[in-house]
Amino acid sequence: MPQLKLTYFDFHGGRGEPVRLALALGGVAFEDHRFSYPEFADVRKATPFGQVPVLEVDGVQLTQCDAILRYAGKLAGLYPQDALQALYCDEVSFVVEEAGIRMGPTYRMTGEEQKAARLALVNGSMPVYLRWLEQRLLAQGGEYFADGRLTIADLKVFVDIRSLNAGRLDHVPTDLVAQVAPALNAHNQRIAALPAVQAYYAKFAQ
């Protein structure tokens, strides 16, 4: 097994959290390097694009969150071997990532500018992607997004919906998911109830 070191912010959310979950749930040993926001200015200097997460594999630094997540999923047995199921898995992951990219610029805004930008997403693209995820989930049977079992797609959606419901984003209603895509909340609760997921958050409780 390769020596792994994952570097990401010290909080439960964002692009690094699905990778942490995948490795933890798969019993894959890794160094979980967490840092605070004030430390990011220094951390980013040692990354290829000034971004995190980054994953070191036997000392080689790799970037791009979805590529890292797919690799972690393969190590953990949480990525489909069937080509079509892998496509379903990737499709869901990329939709969530694209939604995050749309939200990204608002983190650099404040006050009324941020409020207006986020409300535009709440009334525009966010319901579209949430409803699409719900439809994809239901089309796959309602429990998992691909392969009839837990995959990294479920973890990617789980972290995203968990963050939306927690109210971490100012001006984004905490009941948005419940209003537009309630099946995603049911999915979120099922993933949260998994013993391995509960054990993970008990270990890294914040």
Side-chain angles (χ1 to χ4, degrees):
M1 184 66 70
Q3 297 294 309
L4 306 177
K5 178 182 178 180
L6 180 70
T7 298
Y8 194 64
F9 294 104
D10 186 17
F11 81 106
H12 287 317
R15 292 180 166 108
E17 186 73 353
V19 181
R20 290 175 180 149
L21 275 169
L23 294 173
L25 269 59
V28 179
F30 72 105
E31 180 182 347
D32 189 3
H33 178 214
R34 298 172 180 239
F35 60 87
S36 65
Y37 280 104
E39 296 174 291
F40 183 44
D42 288 330
V43 170
R44 70 188 308 171
K45 295 176 184 177
T47 67
F49 304 109
Q51 301 172 350
V52 289
V54 290
L55 178 70
E56 291 181 31
V57 182
D58 291 334
V60 178
Q61 190 182 73
L62 298 154
T63 185
Q64 299 303 316
C65 61
D66 278 321
I68 293 170
L69 179 58
R70 187 188 300 181
Y71 175 70
K74 290 178 179 179
L75 292 181
L78 296 174
Y79 188 77
Q81 293 186 350
D82 178 81
L84 179 58
Q85 295 302 320
L87 175 59
Y88 287 142
C89 188
D90 290 343
E91 180 189 38
V92 167
S93 294
F94 294 160
V95 166
V96 176
E97 185 61 22
E98 184 175 330
I101 290 171
R102 289 174 180 266
M103 180 64 67
T106 70
Y107 290 103
R108 297 186 291 273
M109 301 174 185
T110 58
E112 289 301 313
E113 181 187 24
Q114 183 186 75
K115 180 178 180 180
R118 289 189 173 173
L119 287 179
L121 294 175
V122 167
N123 295 310
S125 63
M126 290 183 74
V128 173
Y129 98 82
L130 290 169
R131 290 189 180 108
W132 183 91
L133 287 171
E134 181 179 60
Q135 290 169 2
R136 177 61 78 209
L137 177 66
L138 295 176
Q140 292 292 324
E143 291 194 29
Y144 302 108
F145 281 96
D147 218 25
R149 64 185 180 95
L150 184 71
T151 67
I152 57 171
D154 298 290
L155 300 182
K156 184 93 171 181
V157 175
F158 169 74
V159 171
D160 186 55
I161 299 304
R162 188 173 187 265
S163 295
L164 289 177
N165 288 342
R168 292 176 181 159
L169 296 174
D170 291 341
H171 315 300
V172 176
T174 56
D175 65 346
L176 177 64
V177 180
Q179 292 295 322
V180 304
L184 295 183
N185 273 347
H187 172 269
N188 197 263
Q189 292 165 5
R190 283 195 301 274
I191 302 303
L194 295 173
V197 173
Q198 291 185 334
Y200 170 83
Y201 284 112
K203 182 178 180 180
F204 298 106
Q206 292 184 349

